[in-house]
C-alpha cells in the first residue's frame, strides 16, 4: 500500500505534464509585396485548428471538427478576431484591408488577406498574442521580396518590423536560435519522449551500448521528422492520433521488457523502430505550423534543439543510472519501480489517445 502511494503522486504528475506535450504553439506568417514598392501587400497566416479555437469559436456547427463550411460561416468573426487584432501599417500609416480568405488544409488552417499600403517600412502588431497562452509565438517567415530568414514575436514583444531584403546576418542567426529553442521546449515538454528515454537508460548497460541506443533513436526520429516536415509523408489528424497512440504503445512495450526480460540484445533495433514512430510525433508539431518555404530552416533548427535537449537529458540521467548500478539490489528495485510508473503512464496515454480524454 505504501509503495502504491509513493508511485501515485509521480504518476499523476506525469499524466498532468503530458496533457500539452505536443501542442503546436506557433502562428506562422508570411508577408510580401508582389511588386517591389507597390501598394499591394499579401499576408498568409497558418495555425492549427486548436489554436484558432482559442481565438474565436470557429466550429460553427459545434460538431467538434473544423470544416470549410465552418470557416465560411465564421467569415466575419475571422475578420474581427484575427485581422482586426493584427493591425498592419506602412510608413507610419494604417494599411487598408481589401480582402480576406480562410481555408482548411490537411493539418492546419490557412488564413489570407490583401492590403493596400503606403510606401515604406511595414510594421505589424500581433495583439492577439495576449489572448493565447504565454508560450505562443508568431514566426514571420517572409519579407517583402521572398524568404529572408525568420523573426519571432511573443506577448512581451508583439510587434514585427518588415524591413527591405538584406537584413543583417545576426537576424538570420537569431531566427535559427529561436527554432533551436522551440526544439528544446518540445523535447523537455514532451514527457512521453522523455519517459521512453528513461526506460531505455534504466537497463542500458555499458556506455558503448547506451551510445548505440541513443544514436539509433536519434537517427530514426530524424529520418521520419525530416521526411514528414519536407512533405514526403503526410500526416492528417487521424494519422497523427494513431502516431500518438503508437508512441504510448512503445513506452508500454519498453517498460514491460524492463520488468520481464533479463537480457535486451535486440534493444538497439527496437529503439530504432520506435524512434521512427517518435519522429512522426515531433513532425506532427512541425507540420502543424504550415511553414511553406521556411520548412528547411525550421526543420534544421527545431531538430537541432531536440537533439541538444535529448543529449542534455542523457548527460544528466546516465551518471545517476550508473551510480545506482553499482548496487545491484538497489538497481533492481529502481528499475522495477520506475518501469511500473512508466508502464502505468504509458497505459493512461494509450487509452487517452485511442478512446479520447479520460475523466
Amino acid at each position: 500500500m505504501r509503495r502504491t502511494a509513493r508511485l501515485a503522486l509521480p504518476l499523476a504528475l506525469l499524466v498532468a505534464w503530458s496533457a500539452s506535450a505536443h501542442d503546436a504553439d506557433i502562428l506562422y506568417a508570411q508577408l510580401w509585396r508582389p511588386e517591389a514598392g507597390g501598394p499591394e501587400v499579401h499576408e498568409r497566416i497558418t495555425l492549427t485548428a486548436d489554436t484558432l479555437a482559442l481565438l474565436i469559436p470557429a466550429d460553427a456547427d459545434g460538431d467538434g471538427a473544423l470544416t470549410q463550411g465552418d470557416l465560411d460561416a465564421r467569415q466575419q468573426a475571422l475578420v474581427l478576431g484575427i485581422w482586426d487584432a493584427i493591425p498592419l501599417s506602412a510608413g507610419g500609416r494604417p494599411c487598408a484591408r481589401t480582402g480576406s480568405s480562410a481555408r482548411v488544409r490537411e493539418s492546419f488552417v490557412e488564413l489570407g488577406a490583401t492590403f493596400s499600403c503606403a510606401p515604406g517600412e511595414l510594421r505589424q502588431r500581433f495583439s492577439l498574442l495576449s489572448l493565447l497562452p504565454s508560450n505562443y509565438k508568431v514566426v514571420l517567415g517572409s519579407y517583402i521580396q521572398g524568404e529572408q530568414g525568420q523573426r519571432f514575436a511573443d506577448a512581451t514583444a508583439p510587434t514585427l518590423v518588415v524591413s527591405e531584403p538584406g537584413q543583417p546576418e545576426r537576424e538570420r542567426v537569431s531566427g535559427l536560435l529561436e527554432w533551436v529553442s522551440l526544439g528544446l521546449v518540445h523535447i523537455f515538454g514532451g514527457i512521453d519522449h522523455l519517459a521512453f528515454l528513461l526506460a531505455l537508460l534504466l537497463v542500458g548497460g555499458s556506455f558503448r551500448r547506451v551510445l548505440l541506443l541513443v544514436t539509433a533513436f536519434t537517427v530514426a526520429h530524424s529520418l521520419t521528422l525530416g521526411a514528414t516536415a519536407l512533405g514526403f509523408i503526410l500526416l492528417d489528424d487521424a494519422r497523427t492520433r494513431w502516431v500518438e497512440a503508437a508512441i504510448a504503445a512503445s513506452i508500454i512495450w519498453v517498460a514491460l521488457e524492463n520488468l520481464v526480460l533479463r537480457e535486451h540484445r535486440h534493444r538497439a533495433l527496437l529503439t530504432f523502430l520506435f524512434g521512427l514512430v517518435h519522429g512522426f510525433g515531433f513532425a506532427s508539431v512541425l507540420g502543424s505550423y504550415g511553414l511553406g518555404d521556411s520548412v528547411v530552416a525550421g526543420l534544421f533548427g527545431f531538430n537541432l534543439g531536440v537533439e541538444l535537449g535529448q543529449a542534455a537529458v542523457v548527460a544528466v540521467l546516465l551518471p545517476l543510472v550508473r551510480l545506482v548500478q553499482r548496487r545491484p539490489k538497489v538497481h533492481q528495485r529502481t528499475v522495477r519501480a520506475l518501469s511500473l510508473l512508466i508502464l502505468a503512464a504509458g497505459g493512461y496515454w494509450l487509452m487517452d489517445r485511442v478512446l479520447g480524454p479520460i475523466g
Side-chain angles (χ1 to χ4, degrees):
M1 179 68 70
R2 189 174 298 173
R3 179 178 294 178
T4 302
R6 285 199 298 265
L7 288 175
L9 179 58
L11 174 59
L13 293 174
L14 273 174
V15 168
W17 189 6
S18 70
S20 59
H22 304 129
D23 289 346
D25 47 9
I26 272 184
L27 291 82
Y28 178 71
Q30 292 174 292
L31 195 64
W32 71 97
R33 294 183 188 265
E35 296 182 11
E40 188 176 54
V41 174
H42 291 197
E43 184 162 19
R44 172 183 178 266
I45 294 177
T46 56
L47 67 168
T48 66
D50 289 340
T51 298
L52 183 60
L54 294 175
L55 296 168
I56 64 169
D59 184 8
D61 54 18
D63 64 354
L66 186 65
T67 65
Q68 187 61 49
D70 292 328
L71 292 184
D72 293 341
R74 288 285 188 259
Q75 184 175 4
Q76 188 60 33
L78 288 168
V79 170
L80 294 173
I82 304 296
W83 296 113
D84 285 359
I86 51 173
L88 179 67
S89 63
R93 293 191 291 175
C95 295
R97 190 174 55 253
T98 58
S100 63
S101 63
R103 297 286 183 271
V104 174
R105 301 303 187 191
E106 192 160 18
S107 60
F108 56 87
V109 178
E110 179 182 302
L111 306 177
T114 55
F115 300 86
S116 179
C117 298
E121 184 179 72
L122 292 170
R123 182 182 294 263
Q124 190 162 32
R125 182 175 179 83
F126 291 89
S127 303
L128 53 69
L129 283 167
S130 64
L131 304 176
L132 296 170
S134 59
N135 58 310
Y136 268 80
K137 295 178 183 289
V138 171
V139 181
L140 181 65
S142 290
Y143 295 140
I144 296 177
Q145 296 285 343
E147 294 295 327
Q148 298 289 329
Q150 294 90 40
R151 293 179 182 178
F152 287 68
D154 56 30
T156 62
T159 300
L160 286 174
V161 177
V162 183
S163 306
E164 293 291 343
Q167 80 280 14
E169 185 67 23
R170 64 178 178 272
E171 292 187 7
R172 295 177 184 267
V173 175
S174 175
L176 175 62
L177 292 178
E178 289 280 5
W179 281 116
V180 171
S181 71
L182 284 170
L184 286 168
V185 166
H186 280 282
I187 188 63
F188 288 124
I191 185 61
D192 49 359
H193 300 293
L194 297 181
F196 181 81
L197 276 175
L198 175 58
L200 290 177
L201 293 177
L202 284 174
V203 293
S206 66
F207 177 80
R208 181 179 179 182
R209 183 168 177 78
V210 169
L211 181 62
L212 177 62
L213 294 177
V214 173
T215 301
F217 185 66
T218 298
V219 171
H221 76 63
S222 296
L223 286 174
T224 46
L225 170 58
T228 307
L230 293 173
F232 296 110
I233 301 173
L234 298 178
L235 288 180
D236 56 18
D237 289 342
R239 290 170 184 166
T240 296
R241 180 180 176 185
W242 286 110
V243 164
E244 295 296 331
I247 290 173
S250 73
I251 295 166
I252 293 171
W253 185 283
V254 176
L256 281 173
E257 281 198 345
N258 288 352
L259 293 168
V260 175
L261 299 182
R262 291 183 177 274
E263 296 185 359
H264 305 272
R265 296 177 181 176
H266 63 292
R267 180 65 54 103
L269 175 60
L270 188 72
T271 300
F272 180 84
L273 295 176
F274 283 149
L276 296 174
V277 177
H278 283 249
F280 285 125
F282 292 124
S284 68
V285 175
L286 199 60
S288 296
Y289 296 154
L291 296 182
D293 294 337
S294 290
V295 68
V296 174
L299 172 62
F300 176 77
F302 185 86
N303 196 45
L304 180 58
V306 168
E307 303 311 332
L308 290 174
Q310 179 179 288
V313 170
V314 173
V316 171
L317 290 180
L318 187 56
L320 296 176
V321 172
R322 302 291 287 178
L323 184 63
V324 173
Q325 284 177 335
R326 295 177 182 176
R327 302 180 64 183
K329 289 186 178 180
V330 174
H331 181 238
Q332 185 178 9
R333 292 171 185 169
T334 302
V335 170
R336 183 170 184 80
L338 290 179
S339 294
L340 283 170
L341 174 63
I342 293 169
L343 176 63
Y348 178 92
W349 295 331
L350 181 61
M351 289 189 293
D352 183 69
R353 294 168 185 183
V354 171
L355 303 177
I358 299 172

